[in-house]
Amino acid sequence: MNIQTALLLCFLLWEACPALSQERTRAEMVKGFNFIETKVYSDQEDARILRLFEGLRVADVSDGMDRAGLPGTGLVDPAIHPDWIDQKDLSHQFRGIAITARYVPTQRPGRPQPGEKFSDWEGHFYSTYSHEAFATLIKPGTVVVLDDVEDKDIGSIGSYNILSWKSLGAVGVVTDATSRDTDEIAIERVPLYLRGKGRGIRPGRNELESVNRR
């Protein structure tokens, strides 16, 4: 290969790479693309951050954010409240590292097809569309934070799964929507912050859209 051929080949490759990159990005964007990546921290970094919050009240943190020039940062809607309150030991308070999951309204049929068993339809919907893939990320010190469909009666949280998350190490759960079994959750003393009480199941109502997206 002479130098002219080599230079021509390099030029063609240089011209082709941006096109290939753009096409690949376009293909990703068609399916959905997150431009702001979620930064992942080590367990040691998480532990260092949590130590900074030991003994602090929410009001203390809010005051500190104001002083740092970040008023209102990190605050949730006042309508999101604790399922239960321990006025003696304040055990409903918690500090942890969030794992986030977003559920969106489904466009799929809300009932089984004619002749299909409800249990089969329900199980398939749970495992395929409205599952809990984020649970594999739960570890000691995790807070499960759910962005759910707040204007529908969907009990995405119930005593069964919240106790499962607790057994994996979750220290608390926050949702902008509802939960079932709130009395049982209070008896088991799992810290839960929610907008209201729910009854409905997830199949036919919502789908898991993303995990740990910004």
Side-chain angles (χ1 to χ4, degrees), residues 90-164:
L90 303 181
S91 58
H92 61 285
Q93 297 184 1
F94 61 87
R95 298 160 186 81
I97 303 297
I99 288 175
T100 64
R102 182 172 186 245
Y103 287 91
V104 296
T106 186
Q107 302 299 314
R108 304 177 193 279
R111 297 291 301 170
Q113 296 297 316
E116 183 180 13
K117 290 184 179 179
F118 183 88
S119 58
D120 293 341
W121 169 82
E122 180 186 34
H124 176 72
F125 205 106
Y126 268 123
S127 62
T128 307
Y129 307 118
S130 191
H131 49 83
E132 298 176 4
F134 59 87
T136 60
L137 303 178
I138 296 175
K139 58 186 178 182
T142 289
V143 177
V144 177
V145 180
L146 302 184
D147 177 5
D148 208 343
V149 186
E150 64 184 68
D151 59 346
K152 290 188 177 182
D153 181 5
I154 308 174
S156 291
I157 301 166
S159 58
Y160 181 83
N161 58 359
I162 203 171
L163 287 173
S164 173

Side-chain angles (χ1 to χ4, degrees), residues 41-91:
Y41 296 89
S42 67
D43 290 346
Q44 292 76 18
E45 290 171 317
D46 286 347
R48 181 180 65 82
I49 291 296
L50 287 178
R51 283 195 296 271
L52 298 177
F53 288 85
E54 288 181 359
L56 297 181
R57 303 169 303 169
V58 172
D60 299 328
V61 177
S62 178
D63 290 350
M65 300 299 277
D66 280 353
R67 184 177 292 272
L70 299 169
T73 300
L75 300 181
V76 300
D77 188 328
I80 299 174
H81 60 280
D83 174 38
W84 55 275
I85 296 177
D86 177 2
Q87 295 185 335
K88 180 181 179 182
D89 299 319
L90 303 181
S91 58

Side-chain angles (χ1 to χ4, degrees), residues 77-84 146 148-158 162 173-183 185 192-200:
D77 188 328
I80 299 174
H81 60 280
D83 174 38
W84 55 275
L146 302 184
D148 208 343
V149 186
E150 64 184 68
D151 59 346
K152 290 188 177 182
D153 181 5
I154 308 174
S156 291
I157 301 166
I162 203 171
V173 178
V174 180
T175 178
D176 64 351
T178 63
S179 171
R180 296 155 56 105
D181 312 328
T182 51
D183 289 344
I185 292 169
L192 168 64
Y193 287 72
L194 74 171
R195 189 177 299 274
K197 298 178 184 294
R199 298 158 296 181

